[in-house]
Amino acid sequence: MALFLLFEAANGYALFEAHGIDEIGQNTEAVRNSVTDLNRFGKVVKLRSFNPFTSALDALEQVNAVTEGVMTDELRTVLETNLPKVKEGKKPKFSLGVAESKLGSQIHDVTKIPCQCNEFVGELLRGVRQHFVDSVGDLKPGDLIKAQLGLSHSYSRAKVKFNVNRVDNMVIQAIFLLDTLDKDINSFSMRVREWYSWHFPELVKIVNDNYLYCKVAKFIEDKSKLSEDKLEGLTDQVGDEDKAKEIIEAAKASMGQDLSPVDLINVHMFAQRVMDLSDYRRRLYDYLTTKMNDIAPNLASLIGEVVGARLISHAGSLTNLAKCPSSTLQILGAEKALFRALKTRGNTPKYGLIFHSSFIGRASAKNKGRMARYLANKCSIASRIDCFSENGSTIFGEKLREQVEERLDFYDKGVAPRKNIDVMKSAIEIADNKEMETEEASAKKSKKKKQKATDEDDMAVDNAAEVTNGDATEDHKSEKKKKKKEKRKVDLEVETQDPSVDEGANGDSSKKKKKKSKRMDVD
């Protein structure tokens, strides 16, 4: 029985015919040994036909169909034109070797061509792949490599289904910048305090907040010019009238030294710069919360946006965090303490970045380790849901947060928490109901749009009909008026042509003339 081989290359379909299979005896070891030698393999397997793809897009479509086990029309034409025809009622004297069993079954169902996919055919296709460039005479080695590279990029891009809104790299950069800004704002605020304290040292004890201190320093500038007239403006800056009065009284009896106008301008500019950095830090935090709600909504609702972003940043990506077991996630960020404990044979750390969560702080000292382990377990579940689910929602994160709250009550008060399976069932039901509601809402919107479109079409048709009817009626009226005018002209001509008539006739004609003149006036 003849054996044909189907090879899906990056630049086209190739059909090979295997000769002397009976001599080899379909021995896998013999084929494996003959694959490396081109002279021996070339005598057994020879090229029958090669059909290149028309474009890169066509190559991508063909490869996607092959991986899904679907036979395209192009592949069917290649097989039917180059293989012997299968007669109905007779057993074919050949078979086709394929690499994908699903594709082989599809080919057999549609074309009745017998296909086989086994280890022996796999070894033959391995040899075909190794010596494909030498088998196809007009093909250059560089062309095949370029085609493979371009097809691999387009195929992987289509499989990944890249989503711009779920890029976790933006979260990693934002949390790094947020931490850097916190350090810079703190150091700059301390510099403003030290600088302005030479002029007004009593202000440090009255105003504790860094941002508020910069605002007040910018408003006051020179303490000698601060008087009761500026009480209202200072109250707006501070937010407390008593504190504003205290600042004014302290400025009157201040022990600070005077500063030159140039020094005051520099302090003023530096305080403004610190305020601008604080405002930008606030906007960056809002941006981080929105991105976390898009990328990892369940993790953010469970543990918070900042702690969740730090976990993603430390793991490298959301996918890496989802791959981590809960024991690794628990001590993520405490690697130095872990290896130090292993080296010195001491106690290993109980928590890492997860310590910044409010749940760990609310737990008692003896239950912090147990709480960290339980919270890490729930964070691992939330990160996997966010990473691998297509529809982003906060339902599972909220339910997991409720479980953590119940666990806290169990440690403190002994209240038995709900079972995990019951909580997850309720979350799945809520998620399914929400999906149904969104689908119904989208269906209603589409129906409304269709109704609007049909109503607009009907209105347009009615308007067109009215316009045409109006034109027709106007034309009909104008024709009637023309006919009446023509009749009147004819009557007048007849009367002028008959002057010799009787008096009675004249009387009648005069009456008629009067009636006609009246009609003319009425018209």
Side-chain angles (χ1 to χ4, degrees):
M1 179 182 287
L3 177 63
F4 296 92
L5 301 172
L6 175 64
F7 179 67
E8 306 92 2
N11 49 5
Y13 290 117
L15 273 175
F16 288 85
E17 186 176 359
H19 299 277
I21 298 298
D22 296 334
E23 297 177 2
I24 299 174
Q26 295 193 0
N27 189 357
T28 307
E29 288 294 332
V31 174
R32 189 178 291 115
N33 295 329
S34 64
V35 160
T36 55
D37 190 4
L38 178 60
N39 294 326
R40 293 179 62 188
F41 187 77
K43 293 177 182 179
V44 177
V45 179
K46 293 183 180 180
L47 180 67
R48 185 178 180 89
S49 68
F50 177 67
N51 297 276
F53 298 132
T54 56
S55 62
L57 183 61
D58 183 30
L60 179 61
E61 292 176 356
Q62 298 295 328
V63 170
N64 284 328
V66 168
T67 53
E68 293 173 2
V70 179
M71 184 181 65
T72 59
D73 295 335
E74 185 175 348
L75 179 58
R76 183 174 182 176
T77 55
V78 169
L79 295 176
E80 289 179 349
T81 54
N82 295 294
L83 292 178
K85 293 183 179 180
V86 179
K87 296 180 181 179
E88 294 182 0
K90 291 186 178 181
K91 188 177 180 180
K93 297 181 180 180
F94 69 95
S95 62
L96 180 65
V98 294
E100 298 288 337
S101 58
K102 290 182 180 180
L103 181 63
S105 61
Q106 177 76 10
I107 292 171
H108 179 68
D109 293 339
V110 177
T111 62
K112 305 301 180 184
I113 297 173
C115 300
Q116 56 177 324
C117 178
N118 49 34
E119 189 177 358
F120 174 70
V121 173
E123 290 295 331
L124 289 176
L125 289 174
R126 188 170 67 86
V128 169
R129 187 179 297 106
Q130 184 176 352
H131 305 294
F132 181 71
V133 178
D134 298 325
S135 300
V136 182
D138 297 334
L139 194 64
K140 297 179 182 178
D143 297 339
L144 182 62
I145 293 172
K146 290 178 182 177
Q148 288 174 347
L149 186 63
L151 183 60
S152 62
H153 284 179
S154 57
Y155 179 77
S156 60
R157 194 182 303 115
K159 285 295 180 183
V160 167
K161 294 179 181 178
F162 182 74
N163 188 0
V164 179
N165 296 323
R166 300 192 67 177
V167 182
D168 51 6
N169 186 40
M170 299 298 107
V171 171
I172 296 171
Q173 300 299 331
I175 194 65
F176 272 128
L177 184 57
L178 195 69
D179 293 338
T180 306
L181 280 176
D182 287 336
K183 294 178 182 177
D184 292 342
I185 289 170
N186 286 332
S187 60
F188 291 160
S189 300
M190 293 303 297
R191 186 60 54 198
V192 171
R193 284 174 177 270
E194 291 180 5
W195 199 349
Y196 195 69
S197 293
W198 284 93
H199 180 64
F200 194 0
E202 292 81 8
L203 186 63
V204 177
K205 296 180 180 180
I206 301 171
V207 181
N208 297 320
D209 185 63
N210 291 332
Y211 184 77
L212 187 60
Y213 185 90
C214 294
K215 284 179 68 176
V216 172
K218 178 188 171 186
F219 178 79
I220 295 173
E221 292 186 358
D222 192 357
K223 64 178 181 180
S224 60
K225 297 179 181 179
L226 188 62
S227 60
E228 298 292 337
D229 299 336
K230 294 184 178 181
L231 178 62
E232 185 176 356
L234 189 60
T235 305
D236 295 336
Q237 298 292 329
V238 178
D240 187 4
E241 188 176 358
D242 295 334
K243 189 175 285 188
K245 290 180 179 179
E246 186 179 356
I247 291 171
I248 293 173
E249 293 297 329
K252 292 178 181 178
S254 177
M255 299 294 293
Q257 62 182 5
D258 294 334
L259 294 179
S260 64
V262 178
D263 297 334
L264 287 173
I265 289 171
N266 280 285
V267 174
H268 177 273
M269 291 174 64
F270 190 58
Q272 182 63 43
R273 186 63 57 87
V274 175
M275 291 169 60
D276 293 339
L277 281 176
S278 300
D279 294 334
Y280 175 68
R281 193 261 179 203
R282 195 178 297 110
R283 292 195 299 271
L284 184 65
Y285 178 76
D286 295 337
Y287 165 75
L288 180 63
T289 54
T290 54
K291 291 299 290 183
M292 280 296 295
N293 290 326
D294 291 337
I295 295 167
N298 293 295
L299 185 64
S301 60
L302 171 62
I303 202 172
E305 291 84 1
V306 176
V307 181
R310 285 200 175 98
L311 289 173
I312 293 172
S313 174
H314 199 82
S317 65
L318 181 61
T319 307
N320 293 341
L321 184 65
K323 291 177 182 178
C324 291
S326 59
S327 58
T328 304
L329 194 146
Q330 181 182 352
I331 58 172
L332 206 64
E335 288 82 4
K336 288 184 179 180
L338 174 65
F339 292 118
R340 190 189 311 117
L342 293 175
K343 187 177 180 180
T344 59
R345 296 182 181 180
N347 295 326
T348 55
K350 298 177 181 178
Y351 26 69
L353 292 171
I354 208 171
F355 178 76
H356 297 286
S357 173
S358 60
F359 295 112
I360 308 297
R362 288 162 57 188
S364 59
K366 63 178 182 179
N367 294 324
K368 283 187 183 296
R370 300 165 69 187
M371 197 66 221
R373 185 166 62 251
Y374 188 80
L375 183 60
N377 181 15
K378 299 305 174 186
C379 288
S380 179
I381 295 172
S383 62
R384 289 168 188 174
I385 293 171
D386 290 329
C387 182
F388 300 110
S389 65
E390 295 180 358
N391 300 323
S393 64
T394 60
I395 298 168
F396 290 95
E398 291 170 358
K399 292 294 181 181
L400 293 172
R401 188 179 182 88
E402 290 176 4
Q403 282 188 291
V404 178
E405 294 282 355
E406 291 174 0
R407 183 63 58 157
L408 269 175
D409 293 338
F410 173 69
Y411 289 151
D412 295 339
K413 302 174 185 177
V415 180
R418 292 176 292 172
K419 290 184 179 180
N420 187 41
I421 187 170
D422 297 333
V423 177
M424 289 296 106
K425 280 182 180 179
S426 63
I428 291 169
E429 289 176 359
I430 295 170
D432 293 339
N433 293 332
K434 280 196 173 183
E435 285 183 3
M436 291 290 291
E437 290 176 0
T438 53
E439 288 176 0
E440 290 176 357
S442 61
K444 287 181 180 179
K445 285 182 180 179
S446 61
K447 284 183 180 179
K448 285 182 180 179
K449 286 181 181 179
K450 288 181 181 179
Q451 286 179 357
K452 283 183 179 180
T454 53
D455 293 340
E456 288 176 357
D457 294 337
D458 294 338
M459 289 288 290
V461 171
D462 294 338
N463 292 332
E466 288 177 1
V467 170
T468 53
N469 292 330
D471 295 339
T473 52
E474 287 177 0
D475 294 338
H476 187 62
K477 288 179 180 179
S478 61
E479 287 178 359
K480 281 186 176 180
K481 287 181 179 179
K482 286 180 181 179
K483 287 181 180 179
K484 285 182 179 180
K485 286 181 180 179
E486 288 177 357
K487 284 182 179 180
R488 287 167 190 165
K489 286 181 181 179
V490 171
D491 293 338
L492 290 171
E493 287 176 358
V494 170
E495 289 173 357
T496 54
Q497 286 176 1
D498 296 335
S500 59
V501 289
D502 297 337
E503 292 177 356
N506 289 332
D508 295 334
S509 64
S510 63
K511 288 179 181 180
K512 289 180 179 178
K513 285 181 181 179
K514 288 179 180 179
K515 289 180 180 179
K516 287 178 181 178
S517 62
K518 287 180 180 179
R519 288 175 186 172
M520 290 289 289
D521 295 333
V522 170
D523 292 333

